Amino acid sequence: MKRTTGFRGFSAYRIWSQLPRLEVSRLPDVLMFAAGLALFYGVAVVGRTWLGPFTPQVEISRSPLALPAYAGYSLLRIGIAYVLSLAFTLVYGYIAAYNPRAERFMIPLLDVLQSIPVLSFLPGVMLAMVALFPGRQLGVEAGAILLIFTGQVWNMAFSFYASLKGIPNEMREAARIYRFSWWQRFIQMELPFSAIGLVWNSMMSVAGGWFFLMACEMFVLGARDFRLPGLGSYLQTAASAGDTTSILWGIATMVAVIVLLDQLVWRPVIAWTEKFKVEQVESTDAPRSWVLNLIQHSAALSRIRKKTFEPLGEKLTLHYAREHTHESPEPPAVWRTWLLRGIAVVALAATGYGVVRVAIILSGLQPAELREAGIGLGATFLRVNVALLIGALWTIPAGVAIGFNPKLARIAQPLAQIAASVPATALFPVVLLLLIRVGGGLGLGSIVLLLLGTQWYILFNVIAGAMAIPTDLKECCNVFKLTGLERWKKLILPGIFPYLITGLLTASGGAWNASIIAEYFHFKGHIYTTTGLGATISQATDSGNFDLLLAATMMMAATVVTVNRLAWRRLYALGETRFRLET
């Protein structure tokens, strides 16, 4: 057979014979290049759309053909909000954990911020963003991203803060002995120690972003209608119209996106963070990921890492190590002291002005409105605590089982993400109709919706806590034949305690947030409501009664902060002292 000659004398036969080898060795590089190219194209298309003029009252199509584009828009918004949340978490949690003076103000502020419902943030955030980018789509997009950010960031910040406070004393002493700079402590001790909890809370945060997507992508402020193309607006449109087929199409698309995220992002990250577990005996059944193996075998990514990231990391380490070596205790500069005092005076003046303005606004409320809000506060408080109790009863044993069994985790992890990510408001029409038929009404239905929206905070934190328990401690319990209740008392509950408190605290804040949806619901042109503070906030937003909205939001924030001060903070302190993992 005559062989045809190719360019520069290479025969087609020789090239063809090398193709299998090329495919095997270069497949990771080809896939990474294709993924980067697709990501760049998607960002370019979205950027061109966001910089265009804003079109009010965008028509949301209920056709399944529109779902891929809607899913892309929603995923990008959630991704940007997550990056902002992660940056905020690392900075805020670090300062709060290591600056006692700042901690006294920052942690109560975090309690207040997580207790304010997304719907209460909505009017101010959206109007501010639209005013900042007049006539541009970017203003509304920025408002939606910031609202998703407010639904994601708080549990991540609490988790990172709690992890930093729980670092064993032996590790801190080793860092002091080896004279680590703050950068070395952060990269080599603090971030690795907090990685497992941060990853699982990141998964919960992204799930929370999907949960509040319907409220963030489609909302009405008085006569102004702001809506954005996305999965949230698609599901909200379908739910308002009672279109069960479209709801199922939207949920199926969301499930597909969540499964892809699990395979391409979360499972590789979980497998990678396994090396940060504090233990002396390596687990025999560690999590694995085909995507992580693909990345680790990519020659192109390896070269990029060696040429860019590793030299950059070494330069940063040397730079901060030199600064640490030349550090000497110097008194603070006079100008810095006066600058801080000036900032404090301005902040106090602004706070005083705000308090006076709030008092003037609240004085204009009718006694009947305040009485109704007070009754609603009591009703919502009972629903939140019932939902927390029911959620804890099943999530604690389920989370421990998943965290102790990597094989079970590989199956349960994506299922938990799907269940946590599907907006309960999309399923609520079906639940509501069933409850109306059996006579439960929205009073019982609101507890179901609170449970659907908050139980996952507990589950994901318990899983993280169970996975963080060292293998050598588990084997020690096996050697001493500790089983059943004794194993729970000696190993499991002490091991997961700090994570469990973080989960309960964030679940409590999430339940109060979810009450604005659970107690006031639009369905087929009708409004279903029940007595509660969440219903008061939703009704005030619909009617444009910002005075009542402010009063109800303040009542909710004050209640959450009081509960956190009396209960959760004390349990946090107990976890930092009695149940800290010491090596």
Side-chain angles (χ1 to χ4, degrees):
M1 181 178 68
K2 184 178 180 181
R3 299 177 182 174
T4 58
T5 302
F7 182 63
R8 292 188 180 179
F10 282 98
S11 66
Y13 175 79
R14 288 175 61 191
I15 295 176
W16 180 259
S17 65
Q18 296 295 320
L19 281 180
R21 187 181 303 171
L22 289 171
E23 290 177 356
V24 173
S25 61
R26 296 299 180 185
L27 181 61
D29 297 339
V30 172
L31 290 177
M32 295 300 107
F33 177 77
L37 191 63
L39 179 62
F40 175 78
Y41 172 75
V43 171
V45 171
V46 172
R48 187 170 62 248
T49 303
W50 285 6
L51 294 176
F54 173 66
T55 304
Q57 296 186 358
V58 175
E59 188 67 27
I60 304 299
S61 172
R62 298 207 302 269
S63 170
L65 298 178
L67 283 171
Y70 288 171
Y73 279 113
S74 296
L75 186 60
L76 184 59
R77 292 181 191 115
I78 289 176
I80 295 174
Y82 173 75
V83 172
L84 295 175
S85 301
L86 183 60
F88 177 91
T89 292
L90 297 179
V91 174
Y92 199 95
Y94 193 91
I95 295 174
Y98 288 112
N99 191 323
R101 291 184 179 179
E103 182 182 14
R104 290 199 295 267
F105 298 97
M106 294 177 70
I107 297 304
L109 179 60
L110 202 62
D111 289 338
V112 172
L113 291 175
Q114 77 142 355
S115 66
I116 300 177
V118 172
L119 197 59
S120 297
F121 278 115
L122 190 149
V125 169
M126 288 308 305
L127 293 177
M129 290 298 102
V130 171
L132 187 62
F133 303 97
R136 290 285 184 179
Q137 181 82 8
L138 184 60
V140 184
E141 293 285 357
I145 290 170
L146 286 178
L147 290 170
I148 296 172
F149 166 85
T150 62
Q152 288 185 342
V153 67
W154 316 125
N155 62 299
M156 292 172 59
F158 274 119
S159 172
F160 186 61
Y161 164 78
S163 296
L164 292 181
K165 299 293 282 188
I167 294 177
N169 289 326
E170 289 86 349
M171 295 178 66
R172 297 186 186 277
E173 291 175 2
R176 283 194 293 269
I177 290 172
Y178 287 102
R179 299 180 59 81
F180 277 11
S181 65
W182 77 268
W183 173 256
Q184 289 173 299
R185 289 198 312 269
F186 181 72
I187 295 297
Q188 300 180 23
M189 180 182 72
E190 294 158 349
L191 201 56
F193 185 83
S194 61
I196 294 177
L198 191 56
V199 166
W200 281 92
N201 274 280
S202 295
M203 293 165 59
M204 184 61 243
S205 291
V206 173
W210 289 109
F211 183 87
F212 286 107
L213 203 62
M214 293 172 69
C216 296
E217 290 184 345
M218 188 171 180
F219 41 83
V220 178
L221 292 178
R224 305 182 69 177
D225 189 341
F226 295 94
R227 64 181 70 184
L228 295 168
L231 270 180
S233 55
Y234 180 93
L235 286 169
Q236 182 67 57
T237 302
S240 300
D243 188 349
T244 306
T245 302
S246 296
I247 291 175
L248 294 177
W249 273 111
I251 292 176
T253 304
M254 185 176 290
V255 168
V257 173
I258 293 166
V259 171
L260 284 175
L261 282 177
D262 172 69
Q263 291 294 318
L264 300 178
V265 179
W266 298 124
R267 189 160 296 189
V269 172
I270 289 174
W272 178 70
T273 56
E274 180 70 13
K275 64 182 180 180
F276 299 129
K277 184 183 292 187
V278 181
E279 59 183 7
Q280 296 177 346
V281 179
E282 185 177 0
S283 176
T284 57
D285 194 6
R288 294 178 177 83
S289 168
W290 63 272
V291 175
L292 182 61
N293 293 335
L294 193 68
I295 293 173
Q296 291 174 340
H297 288 85
S298 171
L301 291 180
S302 177
R303 284 196 296 270
I304 292 173
R305 184 174 63 252
K306 291 179 180 179
K307 296 293 184 181
T308 58
F309 293 105
E310 290 183 0
L312 179 62
E314 291 178 359
K315 289 182 179 179
L316 287 173
T317 300
L318 290 174
H319 172 74
Y320 288 110
R322 293 192 192 100
E323 284 192 353
H324 182 70
T325 303
H326 294 92
E327 280 183 358
S328 58
E330 297 180 356
V334 176
W335 67 268
R336 185 178 300 176
T337 302
W338 281 104
L339 177 62
L340 293 176
R341 290 176 180 176
I343 293 174
V345 170
V346 172
L348 287 174
T351 303
Y353 176 78
V355 170
V356 172
R357 294 297 303 172
V358 168
I360 294 174
I361 292 173
L362 295 181
S363 63
L365 289 174
Q366 300 296 325
E369 292 177 325
L370 293 175
R371 191 182 310 112
E372 180 184 355
I375 296 173
L377 174 63
T380 302
F381 181 80
L382 291 176
R383 292 191 187 100
V384 166
N385 285 281
V386 170
L388 285 179
L389 178 61
I390 297 174
L393 287 176
W394 81 267
T395 54
I396 292 176
V400 170
I402 295 171
F404 274 31
N405 190 335
K407 293 182 179 178
L408 178 60
R410 283 194 286 269
I411 300 173
Q413 173 194 327
L415 294 178
Q417 287 183 64
I418 292 169
S421 303
V422 174
T425 44
L427 300 176
F428 200 51
V430 180
V431 177
L432 182 61
L433 289 175
L434 291 175
L435 291 172
I436 290 175
R437 289 182 180 179
V438 301
L442 192 60
L444 179 60
S446 59
I447 297 178
V448 175
L449 188 57
L450 290 178
L451 189 62
L452 291 174
T454 60
Q455 59 192 348
W456 313 112
Y457 290 97
I458 309 173
L459 177 64
F460 278 73
N461 276 279
V462 171
I463 293 174
M467 292 184 68
I469 295 177
T471 304
D472 41 354
L473 291 184
K474 298 177 186 177
E475 293 186 355
C476 183
C477 287
N478 293 334
V479 169
F480 286 98
K481 297 182 180 181
L482 296 180
T483 58
L485 184 60
E486 195 68 18
R487 185 181 180 91
W488 276 84
K489 289 171 59 179
K490 300 293 185 181
L491 173 68
I492 297 175
L493 287 178
I496 68 171
F497 186 82
Y499 296 86
L500 176 60
I501 298 305
T502 300
L504 288 171
L505 188 150
T506 52
S508 175
W512 284 98
N513 257 289
S515 67
I516 63 175
I517 302 173
E519 297 173 348
Y520 189 89
F521 193 75
H522 292 269
F523 183 60
K524 287 188 175 181
H526 297 281
I527 296 176
Y528 295 88
T529 183
T530 187
T531 302
L533 194 61
T536 302
I537 292 175
S538 297
Q539 192 172 9
T541 304
D542 270 2
S543 61
N545 187 348
F546 291 101
D547 294 353
L548 182 59
L549 174 63
L550 177 62
T553 302
M554 290 178 60
M555 293 173 66
M556 181 176 289
T559 303
V560 173
V561 172
T562 301
V563 172
N564 289 349
R565 293 291 99 188
L566 295 178
W568 303 124
R569 285 294 129 205
R570 297 182 179 184
L571 292 173
Y572 249 129
L574 183 63
E576 293 171 11
T577 54
R578 184 174 178 181
F579 298 110
R580 175 184 292 184
L581 177 64
E582 301 288 359
T583 56

